[in-house]
Each structure stands twice: as C-alpha cells, then as structure tokens.
Amino acid sequence: MQTRTLADWMADVDAYVAGPAAMWAQEIEATGTVPQAVWEELNDRGYLRLTAPRDLGGYGLSFTDYLQLLERFAAMHGSMRVIVHVTNSLWRSLASKASAEQLERFVKPFIGGQLRATFTLTEPNSGSGADIKTTARREGCEYIVNGEKWMIIFSDVADYFLLFCRLEGTSGGEGTLALMVPKDTAGLEIEWMAPAMGITGTQHGHLRLVNCRVPVSNRLGEEGDGLEVAFRGFLDPSRTAIGMTCVGAAKRSLELAAEHALARVTFGQPLAKRQIIQMWLAEMATDIEAARHLVLHAARKFDAGQPITVEASMAKMFATEMLQRVTDKALQIHGGPGYFKSSEIERLYRDARMQRFEEGTSEIQKMVIARDVLDKAKAARERRNRG
C-alpha cells in the first residue's frame, strides 16, 4: 500500500474539499440524494480506511493524525462528512470481538469498501444503552430476533446492520448481543423516515424485526458482549471524532463570516470595521481553538492506550455547543442573505444541529462527566476518612 505523510494527506484532502466535494455539495442539495458515485469516490481515494490497521487493509493513521484530516473533511457537505466519520469509526466495533473467520468475512471487506454496514442501536421506545428492548432467542444455530430500531443512518445502502439486542429474559448490560444482520433477512422491514433538517441526502431507516433468523456465526463476541462491542470499540473515539467535525465546520463558518465581514459594506464601511463584529469574530476563533485542544487531548490519550471516556464526553459536549455558538454568530454576521439556501452558511447552520444528537446528547455527556467528578470526590473523602 502506498505510503503517504500526514502533509501529503492534508494537501490531498484540502484539494478534494475545495474542488470535487464542493461540486458534490451542490448536487446533493439540489437532488436531495447522495449519489453512489460519492461513496465510490471517497473509497477510491482511500478516505474511508484512514484509521484501520494496515494488516486489515487500512492506512493505519494514528487517531491524532486522522483527526487533523477529519477537521478538513468537516468543511464538506454534512452527508459526506458523516460517511467519512462513521466508516473510519465503525471498523473498531466490527473488529473488537471478531473471530479470524469474521475478520475475513466482515471486517476486511468493510474496510476495503466491498461491504457496507451501519451501527444499529437506537430504538423508538428506549434510550441508546442498557435499556434496549429488541430481543433474541437462540434456536440451534440461529437467533430469532424481534424488535424495532430507528433513526438508523445509511439504511438505504447498508449490506449489514450491526444490530444490538438482548437475550430474552435478561436486563441491563447482561445478555446483550452484537449481530451482523443481512439487509435481506426474512422478517426485516425497513421504513424510510422523513428527511432530516440537515445532512441532506442521508437516509435514515425505521427497522422492524419480526422473527428474523440470524446465524449464530454472525454474532460478534460472546453472549453478553453486545454493549462492549457497541461502546468500547466505537463510542469513545467516535465522540471524540464528532468533536473534531465540529471544529472543522466551525472553522469554515468563521472563514465565511470573516470574508463576508470584509466584503459587505453598510453605511459607507465594511462590517469588519464595526467593533461588535470584531468581538464576535474573536469569540468564535477562541471557542474553536479551545474545542480543538480538548479534542486533541483526548486523541493523544487514546493513541497512548489510555481510557478516554470522560475526555471524549468533554470534547464532544464542548465542541457541539461551541459549533452552535459559532454558526449562530456566523449567520448573524451574514444577515438576511445568509438565511437563504443559496448560502453556504445556511447549509452549515442546518448541518450543525445534528452533531448535538450524534453519539449522545450534551445531557448524556454531562452525566458521564458528573459521575466521574462525584466518583473522584467520594474517593478523596474515603482517603481522608482512612487517614
């Protein structure tokens, strides 16, 4: 496989984002669909296997290096950004508990672009965690799966759904399963959900599973490993990566706002001459830089093999809320013309709102962070009491 430096990758991505990706953005917004050619082009350029290990067919970039590329990708159309982000994250879940046979059957084809899979956890009547209600019952060499999943991204193009469920009669984290469910499984019905506010062209599905028979050989890990496959392999790095996509989108919003402030003349002078505009630009730039450092701090710990659950939640929470502040100020600087769909800032503003839902809301992140704060306080109190 061709060896490239990080600088090579950066130059390549910058050129792609400014050229072909910008043209695709216009087509996606005009047609409301993401052409298959977009997937093929991103795969052919190697963008969908940047983080995967070389022995599995990827380029083996460190997480920190990859995030510096993802910051650049985040200036693309939201749907294209999601493709790059999810594909470079999901292989971890697939590979985390895969057998040697499953590495060949599922993981390597996914990394190589011959197979598409999508993360299938969220349900209409439960949260995205230990309260999943979709069940499985083992009968011989098969599981009989019943339940519902919804808001499942890439439902239109996935060959397999990496579906999380639980053995009948279990609760909490016990008895959870990670199953690779083929899209053509009998009893699996996919209903397309209404178009989203942003990320135009990305299709979400509502899955209904009625007595779906899934081979036991499609189970990743053992019975009871489902949530570990979902969270340990995917969630922490994905939350961190979302933080960097917010940095990239905010940076592009700041660039557009600054360019508009220099060009737009009112009452005989550019907007950039007005002190309030200068204050907003300064706040936006500082917000972006603070988020970038939080994200990179988590990434460096991840590369060092250290746990990052709390750091990932901090990075994700701060960066998503930062993006809302920055895009709001950027749209305000653009004024009325920025509100129309012919404006790039209008699309960025719409796309930005999704990141606050991806991989858990800010409220979920705050719960993770608060739990860590309280655990440390309890431990400190116990040490004092023992002393």
Side-chain angles (χ1 to χ4, degrees):
M1 182 175 289
Q2 180 183 3
T3 300
R4 301 188 197 179
T5 66
L6 179 59
D8 292 336
W9 278 113
M10 286 180 172
D12 186 71
V13 172
D14 284 342
Y16 181 74
V17 169
M23 299 300 294
W24 282 125
Q26 295 179 20
E27 180 173 340
I28 292 169
E29 285 295 311
T31 64
T33 60
V34 177
Q36 287 298 310
V38 168
W39 283 86
E40 294 166 3
E41 186 171 278
L42 292 171
N43 185 61
D44 290 345
R45 297 179 74 96
Y47 295 159
L48 305 185
R49 53 185 177 275
L50 295 167
T51 58
R54 287 183 171 271
D55 61 355
L56 295 180
Y59 284 96
L61 294 185
S62 72
F63 192 44
T64 303
D65 285 351
Y66 162 67
L67 289 185
Q68 294 179 74
L69 298 180
L70 189 59
E71 179 180 349
R72 290 163 160 79
F73 281 122
M76 297 191 301
H77 189 278
S79 290
M80 297 179 71
R81 184 274 301 175
V82 170
I83 293 172
V84 172
H85 158 61
V86 172
T87 309
N88 277 287
S89 298
L90 187 56
W91 70 267
R92 291 189 178 90
S93 285
L94 298 176
S96 64
K97 296 285 185 178
S99 65
E101 184 270 337
Q102 289 170 336
L103 285 174
E104 298 297 327
R105 184 157 57 105
F106 296 132
V107 181
K108 289 183 179 180
F110 174 79
I111 291 170
Q114 295 86 42
L115 176 155
R116 294 177 190 164
T118 190
F119 197 80
T120 311
L121 177 63
T122 304
E123 298 181 355
N125 298 307
S126 61
S128 298
D131 62 338
I132 53 177
K133 296 180 176 62
T134 299
T135 62
R137 179 182 73 256
R138 184 162 178 173
E139 291 187 359
C141 295
E142 294 179 317
Y143 287 106
I144 313 303
V145 183
N146 287 277
E148 288 183 77
K149 300 289 182 179
W150 76 341
M151 296 191 292
I152 305 305
I153 200 168
F154 305 145
S155 290
D156 55 334
V157 298
D159 300 302
Y160 285 87
F161 294 93
L162 174 55
L163 184 135
F164 300 94
C165 57
R166 67 170 60 258
L167 291 172
E168 289 182 351
T170 64
S171 62
E174 297 184 359
T176 57
L177 304 173
L179 301 177
M180 292 290 282
V181 179
K183 67 177 180 182
D184 57 357
T185 299
L188 171 59
E189 177 187 337
I190 305 173
E191 176 186 340
W192 305 129
M193 300 185 71
M197 176 191 297
I199 60 165
T200 301
T202 299
Q203 184 68 65
H204 291 75
H206 186 160
L207 280 57
R208 293 181 173 85
L209 301 102
V210 179
N211 294 326
C212 292
R213 292 183 173 272
V214 181
V216 172
S217 60
N218 284 23
R219 185 191 69 215
L220 299 178
E222 302 298 325
E223 293 182 350
D225 286 346
L227 291 185
E228 185 175 355
V229 171
F231 295 151
R232 297 288 176 84
F234 178 83
L235 198 60
D236 289 346
S238 185
R239 282 176 172 170
T240 306
I242 288 170
M244 190 56 95
T245 67
C246 293
V247 171
K251 180 182 175 183
R252 179 58 182 159
S253 300
L254 176 61
E255 292 170 350
L256 291 170
E259 290 170 2
H260 183 79
L262 289 169
R264 173 67 167 158
V265 176
T266 61
F267 299 101
Q269 64 178 356
L271 291 179
K273 291 285 188 179
R274 304 187 188 284
Q275 189 176 47
I276 186 60
I277 301 298
Q278 294 175 8
M279 296 305 101
W280 285 350
L281 293 174
E283 291 166 0
M284 294 158 72
T286 303
D287 237 0
I288 293 168
E289 195 63 18
R292 179 184 288 110
H293 282 281
L294 265 177
V295 170
L296 290 176
H297 171 64
R300 294 183 186 109
K301 288 193 69 174
F302 184 82
D303 281 335
Q306 300 174 34
I308 64 164
T309 296
V310 175
E311 290 80 1
S313 286
M314 288 179 172
K316 202 267 181 183
M317 180 193 73
F318 185 85
T320 55
E321 296 187 353
M322 172 278 296
L323 179 58
Q324 292 300 301
R325 292 190 294 270
V326 168
T327 52
D328 190 66
K329 287 189 177 85
L331 184 56
Q332 193 72 7
I333 290 170
H334 278 76
Y339 192 66
F340 289 82
K341 288 187 179 294
S342 58
S343 168
E344 184 178 353
I345 193 60
E346 182 272 341
R347 176 179 60 76
L348 284 163
Y349 187 83
R350 278 187 289 111
D351 288 347
R353 194 60 180 83
M354 177 179 169
Q355 274 114 307
R356 289 182 68 183
F357 299 118
E358 289 181 82
E359 318 301 9
T361 63
S362 289
E363 291 70 34
I364 293 293
Q365 313 311 321
K366 290 174 184 177
M367 289 172 60
V368 172
I369 298 163
R371 188 182 305 123
D372 179 68
V373 171
L374 292 172
D375 286 347
K376 288 176 178 176
K378 290 175 184 176
R381 183 175 61 186
E382 290 172 359
R383 286 195 300 270
R384 288 195 302 270
N385 291 340
R386 287 195 302 268

